[in-house]
Amino acid sequence: MNPLDAICNRPRREAICVSQLRNAKKIDEALLQERPDVKIFLPFRFYFYRPEELFQPNTYNRFLAAQGGDHVISLVDEISYVAPPAPPISQIDDISPEQFCNGDNRPADCGQNCMCTHQVDIPLNAIVEVVLVDEVQSPNLSHPFHLHGYAFHVVGIGRSPDQNVKKINLKHALDLDRRGLLNRQFNLPPAKDTIAVPNNGYVIFRFRADNPGYWLFHCHFLFHIAIGMSLVVHVGTQSDLPPVPPNFPRCGDHLPPITLIH
Ligand SMILES: [Cu+2]
């Protein structure tokens, strides 16, 4: 299962890709139409800090000290995720709209290590296609991406069919897609909530966004979550959500009341 070579476009005897499994259940036909309502390309990679970027007075950048001594953060669509200061589902009014960002709406002053609460907005009930593109390019490292709130249907896994392209990236994946060369199969695609993206490859999955809310989508290596390999899939609007129950706990409620001592 899940051969590391990511050769998934033909049957083979010794290995099988998740995208070659068949779902035992019926599939929502709308998921299999040629064009989804929303199509999102999500390239992900690491950003390597230069030491002089990190060790400046009165600054502290979070990073992962990788094997070999590199200091890295993770970018999904060129954004490193930071958690919002309060839970969006129950306290959206306490969060500045400027906290949120995505590939189409980056903060003006965002540099190469752009940090904000990466959120993509999806209309309720839309058919969504996500294309994950591995730009990390670390041999034999397949990032296991996990989506909360849904099971998605895996319709494609693979690498570039172009032998001259040594490393896949967003631009190349878009080009392959335009030319119809991204491998998709619509024969009972299996449902999963986690999928390993083959290194130097891509994964394509689809789901119907029928569960409103703020759902985390992230690589499941904990040390990659810690450096921003996450985003929020925001489905629907506040009016699609049930009201916050009365006396529902709020950020800071666990702190003891402050007593002033004179
Ligand atoms: Cu990862």
Side-chain angles (χ1 to χ4, degrees), residues 42 76 81 118-120 215-218 229-233:
L42 293 174
V76 179
Y81 178 87
H118 190 174
Q119 175 174 290
V120 293
W215 299 107
L216 206 60
F217 180 44
H218 60 92
M229 200 178 270
S230 309
L231 63 139
V232 171
V233 174

Side-chain angles (χ1 to χ4, degrees), residues 12 23 52 86 139 160 208 212 243 261:
R12 45 201 282 194
N23 204 313
E52 53 269 37
S160 174
R208 181 189 283 280
I261 302 169

Side-chain angles (χ1 to χ4, degrees), residues 143 219 221 224 229:
H143 298 258
C219 173
F221 292 142
H224 292 178
M229 200 178 270

Side-chain angles (χ1 to χ4, degrees), residues 34 37 45 98 102 107 127 138 172 184 194-196 223 251-252:
E34 194 181 333
D37 301 321
R45 67 181 180 101
E98 262 129 62
N102 54 46
I127 301 295
S138 197
H172 183 58
R184 287 182 183 80
T194 309
I195 184 74
F223 42 98
C251 272

Side-chain angles (χ1 to χ4, degrees), residues 44 46 141-145 219-221 224 229:
F44 55 96
F46 287 136
L141 181 64
S142 300
H143 298 258
F145 270 83
C219 173
H220 225 298
F221 292 142
H224 292 178
M229 200 178 270

